[in-house]
Amino acid sequence: MHTTMPESHVRQAATAHDVARHAGVSQSAVSRAFTPGASISPAMRERVLAAAAALGYRPNLIARSLITRRTGMVGVAVGSLANHLYPGMLEALANRLQAEGYRILLFTAPRDGNADPEMEQILRYQVDAIVLAATTLSSHLADECSAAGVPVVLFNRTSSRAAAASVTGSNHDGAYALARLIAEAGHRRPAFIAGPPNASTNRDRQEGFLAGCAAHGLPAPIIVPGGFSEAGAIAAITELLARPEPPDAVFCASDHMAITVLDTVRHCFGLRVPEDISIVGFDDAPPAAWPSYALTTYRQPIQPMVEATVTLILERLASPEAPARQVVIPGELVIRRSCRLPPGVEPEG
Amino acid sequence: MHTTMPESHVRQAATAHDVARHAGVSQSAVSRAFTPGASISPAMRERVLAAAAALGYRPNLIARSLITRRTGMVGVAVGSLANHLYPGMLEALANRLQAEGYRILLFTAPRDGNADPEMEQILRYQVDAIVLAATTLSSHLADECSAAGVPVVLFNRTSSRAAAASVTGSNHDGAYALARLIAEAGHRRPAFIAGPPNASTNRDRQEGFLAGCAAHGLPAPIIVPGGFSEAGAIAAITELLARPEPPDAVFCASDHMAITVLDTVRHCFGLRVPEDISIVGFDDAPPAAWPSYALTTYRQPIQPMVEATVTLILERLASPEAPARQVVIPGELVIRRSCRLPPGVEPEG
DNA sequence: TTGAAAGCGGTACCAC
DNA sequence: GTGGTACCGCTTTCAA
C-alpha cells in the first residue's frame, strides 16, 4: 500500500506546480525554496524540499532562463581538436566555467570551411557568451555576435575589429625569442613552416620570427606554408629538404606541425635532431614534453589563458558597455633537446 | 523622428512579436514562417522573412523548447581529455550530432571524483539525451538519468544495469588477440598494466588478456595497477623493471599508458623496444601511429563507435520504450613495431 | 490560410 | 514570509 507512484519509467517530469500541490503551498514558495537567498522560512523550505524529493523534482533551468535572461551556457566554437593544445584548453575552460556556474555548449567548425550556418544556431540558443577558439572562423562571425549583444572572447587569435575581446599568448615575442635562440646556437639557414596566412596567430609568429632573425644577423628565413596540419607539415619539410641548401633550423608555427616534422625528418629522412637539423615549435602542447620529442618551443600557458578568458567573460557580463580588452599572456622559452644549444645553455628536464 | 531604433549596440533582441508588428501580421504567422512545413502562404512567409531580416530577428530556441519539449541538446560527460582517444571522439560526435540537428552540452568530470552534483545540473538543462564517456563516473548516475526519462548511452564502457545502452570496442577479444600475438612472438613473461579496477573497459581487457595468455601457453601475467594515468603508468613500469625477473612483454590497458611506458622504458631505463622488451597498448589512439612510437595495439574504431552512439540516441528518442541495446564494435589488431613479431608476420606502414 | 488565446515551467513583483 | 498574478518568447489548438 503506497501513496506515491513507485517511480516507474518515463513519467512526466514533476513541475514546481506538482511540488506545490503535494506540499500544500503556493508555487511561488517552491521557486523560493530553490532560489539561494530568497525570502523563505526554514520550515517552509524544509517542507518544499521534502515534497520535491518525494516527487523527484528538478527545477527546469530552461524555463527559468526565459525570465532571468541568463541561460548559464557559454557557446564555445573550436576547430579541429587534433591540435594538441585544444583538448587541454577545452577541459580547463569547462572546469573553470563550471566553477562559475556555467556550462559549455559546444560547436565544432566543420572541416569544409563554412561554419556560419552552425554559428547562427549558437545565437539562437541564447548563450550568455561566446568563446571563439577556431583559427579558421571568419571574424565576421564575431561581429555578428557582438551585434546581437553577446559578449565574445577570441581565444588564441585576434581580430582587427575592436569589438571583440581576445586572449593570446605572446606570439610575436615568443617567435622573436626562438629566432634569437637559433641564431645564438650558430645556425645559419633558418626556415619557417607557416600556418594559414589569414590566421592572426600565424601572422604574429611569422613577423616575430622574421624580426628576430634580422636582429640577430640571420638571413631571411625560407617560408613554406604548412597550414597547421600534419599533411601540410610533411609536404613543407619535404620541400625544404629537397632544396640544394636545406635549412639547418626549422621553426614550425605550431607544436602540432613540429612534432610531425620531427618524426618525418628522423624516420623518413634518417636525419638526427638536433645534430643534422634543429626543429623548434610553438605552444608547448603536451607531446612537446614527451621524451621522444623533447621539443624546444615557446609556451602558451593554458591555465592563465583560460583564466583570462573567464575573467573577460565575467567582466563583460557584468558591464556590457565596457570596452573589449585584448589580453596577452606572457609565455616563456622552453629549451629542450630538439634544437642545438647556444654555449653555456642547458636543456630543461 | 524615427519609428524604429537605428540598430545600435545591445538593443534588446527582437522577438516574434516585434516582427509581427513590423510586418503587420499576427505573431502566430511569424512562428509559422520559421517552422518548416507549416501551413502558410508564400506571400505571408515572404513578408515575415523580410520583416525578420530588417529587425535582425533570431528565433529563441530556448523558448521553443519549452513547448516542444525538445531542446536539441545532448549532454556529454567526459572525464579527462588527456586520453588521446577522447578528443577525436568528441569532435566526431559533435560533428555527427550537428548533422542531425543536435548540439553538445559539455560536462567534464572534475578530477577529484564526485561528479554527481554537476551531473544533476545536466538533467536540469532538459537535454534530450546523455552520452557518458567517462570511465570514472558512477553508473548510479546512468540510473538517475534513465529514471528521469532521458536516454543514456554509455560510450566505451558498460554497466551491469540493463537500463543503459552502450557502445564499446571488442575489449575482451582484442586483449585476447594481443595475448596470442605476444605468445606467438615467443615471449615468456607477460605483464599487464591495469586501469582502474572498477572500469568495465579495464575489466574486460584484463579478462581477455588472461584468457589469451592461458590459451596460448603463457604463464599468468604479473598484474600491476596503472590507473589509466601517466603517473600510474610510470610507477607501474618502474615496479615491473625492478623485479628479479622483469617481464619481456607488457600489455598496457590503454595506449595513453603504453606511450608513457614506451618513453619511460627507452629514455629512463635505456632499454630497446622491442629487442629488450615488447610493449603493446589498446585503442589505437593517434599517437600510437606516430613513427617514434609505432605502437602495436588493438584498434577501437572511433568513427563507427560514434556512428553507433548517434544511432542509439536517435533510436531511443524515437521509441523510448524499446529495450536498451549494448553495441560492440569490432576492432582489429594493429601490428607495428613496439612488439616482437611472430615468424612470418610483417608490421604495417 | 490566418489570428486569438491558452499554455510550456518557471521568476518577480505585488499586496497582504 | 507568503500567495496571487503578470509575463519571459514561443508553439499549438481552435475558430473564423
Side-chain angles (χ1 to χ4, degrees), chain B residues 278-339:
Chain B
S278 286
I279 310 286
V280 301
F282 203 107
D283 282 344
D284 196 29
W290 296 353
S292 292
Y293 299 106
L295 187 67
T296 291
T297 186
Y298 194 87
R299 176 171 301 151
Q300 299 220 74
I302 284 296
Q303 206 59 48
M305 285 175 76
V306 164
E307 207 65 42
T309 303
V310 173
T311 301
L312 282 181
I313 291 175
L314 266 23
E315 252 178 47
R316 301 198 55 112
L317 245 25
S319 46
E321 306 299 344
R325 294 199 293 132
Q326 348 261 233
V327 176
V328 177
I329 305 291
E332 63 184 311
L333 202 54
V334 181
I335 298 180
R336 298 204 180 90
R337 285 185 308 277
S338 68
C339 180

Side-chain angles (χ1 to χ4, degrees), chain A residues 232-248:
Chain A
I234 292 175
I237 188 64
T238 303
E239 183 197 322
L240 284 174
L241 294 180
R243 292 177 174 246
E245 287 235 302
D248 57 1

Side-chain angles (χ1 to χ4, degrees), chain B residues 197-238:
Chain B
N198 53 332
S200 70
T201 293
N202 175 70
R203 223 176 30 239
D204 295 346
R205 290 173 192 175
Q206 177 163 334
E207 286 173 11
F209 190 61
L210 297 203
C213 287
H216 296 91
L218 284 176
I222 311 165
I223 299 176
V224 187
F228 279 160
S229 75
E230 295 179 23
I234 292 175
I237 187 64
T238 303

Side-chain angles (χ1 to χ4, degrees), chain B:
Chain B
M1 183 183 83
H2 53 264
T3 50
T4 54
M5 282 289 285
E7 309 266 352
S8 73
H9 50 207
V10 206
R11 68 185 183 299
Q12 200 54 284
T15 72
H17 242 104
D18 301 333
V19 176
R21 212 176 22 242
H22 188 98
V25 301
S26 78
Q27 190 257 24
S28 316
V30 177
S31 172
R32 293 191 186 102
F34 281 89
T35 307
S39 168
I40 186 176
S41 71
M44 170 69 92
R45 151 167 283 132
E46 200 58 34
R47 195 157 150 208
V48 169
L49 260 29
L55 297 181
Y57 169 71
R58 247 180 285 271
N60 183 330
L61 259 33
I62 293 296
R64 176 201 304 228
S65 77
L66 213 50
I67 183 115
T68 59
R69 293 165 174 295
R70 285 283 170 99
T71 55
M73 302 191 297
V74 172
V76 174
V78 296
S80 168
L81 292 180
N83 181 332
H84 308 286
L85 193 66
Y86 287 112
M89 171 273 186
L90 190 59
E91 185 175 353
L93 186 61
N95 284 331
R96 230 7 226 88
L97 245 21
Q98 275 176 198
E100 300 289 340
Y102 291 91
R103 340 254 157 264
I104 287 182
L105 193 61
L106 185 66
F107 289 73
T108 52
R111 307 262 172 189
D112 48 28
N114 201 347
D116 285 22
E118 260 309 316
M119 289 302 107
E120 179 65 24
Q121 294 295 322
I122 210 172
L123 289 168
R124 298 190 175 187
Y125 273 102
Q126 314 296 118
V127 293
D128 294 340
I130 293 182
V131 176
L132 255 32
T135 43
T136 55
L137 257 34
S138 67
S139 10
H140 143 80
L141 178 63
D143 298 346
E144 195 86 1
C145 299
S146 310
V150 182
V152 181
V153 178
L154 267 26
F155 185 93
N156 199 21
R157 57 180 295 215
T158 56
S159 163
S160 46
R161 331 290 177 84
S166 66
V167 176
T168 58
S170 38
N171 292 311
H172 187 284
D173 294 359
Y176 187 97
L178 285 166
R180 179 174 172 195
L181 177 74
I182 284 173
E184 292 180 344
H187 299 87
R188 291 306 308 156
R189 295 185 304 281
F192 176 60
I193 298 184
N198 53 332
S200 70
T201 293
N202 175 70
R203 223 176 30 239
D204 295 346
R205 290 173 192 175
Q206 177 163 334
E207 286 173 11
F209 190 61
L210 297 203
C213 287
H216 296 91
L218 284 176
I222 311 165
I223 299 176
V224 187
F228 279 160
S229 75
E230 295 179 23
I234 292 175
I237 187 64
T238 303
E239 182 197 322
L240 284 175
L241 293 180
R243 291 177 175 247
E245 287 236 301
D248 58 0
V250 180
F251 169 39
C252 303
S254 73
D255 279 0
H256 185 210
M257 290 199 295
I259 295 288
T260 304
V261 166
L262 237 164
D263 268 335
T264 305
V265 150
R266 278 185 183 146
H267 296 97
C268 298
F269 291 94
L271 299 178
R272 290 165 307 159
V273 177
E275 292 82 356
D276 298 325
I277 187 170
S278 286
I279 310 286
V280 301
F282 203 107
D283 282 344
D284 196 29
W290 296 353
S292 292
Y293 299 106
L295 187 67
T296 291
T297 186
Y298 194 87
R299 176 171 301 151
Q300 299 220 74
I302 284 296
Q303 206 59 48
M305 285 175 76
V306 164
E307 207 65 42
T309 303
V310 173
T311 301
L312 282 181
I313 291 175
L314 266 23
E315 252 178 47
R316 301 198 55 112
L317 245 25
S319 46
E321 306 299 344
R325 294 199 293 132
Q326 348 261 233
V327 176
V328 177
I329 305 291
E332 63 184 311
L333 202 54
V334 181
I335 298 180
R336 298 204 180 90
R337 285 185 308 277
S338 68
C339 180
R340 270 156 46 200
L341 299 170
V345 173
E346 286 298 316
E348 84 169 29

Side-chain angles (χ1 to χ4, degrees), chain A residues 87-270:
Chain A
M89 171 274 188
L90 190 58
E91 184 175 353
L93 186 62
N95 283 330
R96 232 3 227 90
L97 246 20
Q98 275 175 200
E100 300 290 339
Y102 292 90
R103 341 253 158 261
I104 286 182
L105 192 61
L106 186 67
F107 289 73
T108 53
R111 307 262 172 190
D112 47 30
N114 201 346
D116 284 23
E118 259 309 315
M119 287 303 107
E120 178 64 24
Q121 294 296 321
I122 209 173
L123 288 168
R124 298 190 175 188
Y125 272 103
Q126 315 297 118
V127 292
D128 294 341
I130 293 183
V131 175
L132 255 31
T135 44
T136 55
L137 256 34
S138 68
S139 13
H140 143 80
L141 177 63
D143 298 346
E144 195 85 0
C145 299
S146 309
V150 181
V152 181
V153 177
L154 266 27
F155 185 94
N156 200 21
R157 58 179 295 217
T158 56
S159 163
S160 46
R161 331 287 178 87
S166 66
V167 176
T168 58
S170 38
N171 292 311
H172 186 284
D173 294 358
Y176 186 98
L178 286 166
R180 178 172 173 198
L181 177 75
I182 284 173
E184 292 180 344
H187 299 88
R188 292 306 309 157
R189 295 186 306 281
F192 177 59
I193 297 183
N198 54 332
S200 71
T201 293
N202 175 69
R203 224 175 29 237
D204 296 346
R205 289 173 194 176
Q206 177 164 334
E207 286 172 11
F209 191 60
L210 296 203
C213 286
H216 295 92
L218 285 175
I222 311 164
I223 300 176
V224 188
F228 279 160
S229 75
E230 294 178 24
I234 292 175
I237 188 64
T238 303
E239 183 197 322
L240 284 174
L241 294 180
R243 292 177 174 246
E245 287 235 302
D248 57 1
V250 180
F251 170 38
C252 304
S254 72
D255 278 1
H256 185 211
M257 291 199 295
I259 294 289
T260 304
V261 166
L262 236 165
D263 269 336
T264 305
V265 148
R266 278 186 184 145
H267 296 96
C268 299
F269 291 93

Side-chain angles (χ1 to χ4, degrees), chain A residues 16 27-28 31 57 60 64 67:
Chain A
Q27 192 257 24
S28 315
S31 174
Y57 168 71
N60 183 330
R64 173 200 305 225
I67 182 110

Side-chain angles (χ1 to χ4, degrees), chain A residues 21-33:
Chain A
R21 211 176 23 242
H22 187 99
V25 301
S26 77
Q27 192 257 24
S28 315
V30 178
S31 174
R32 292 189 190 103

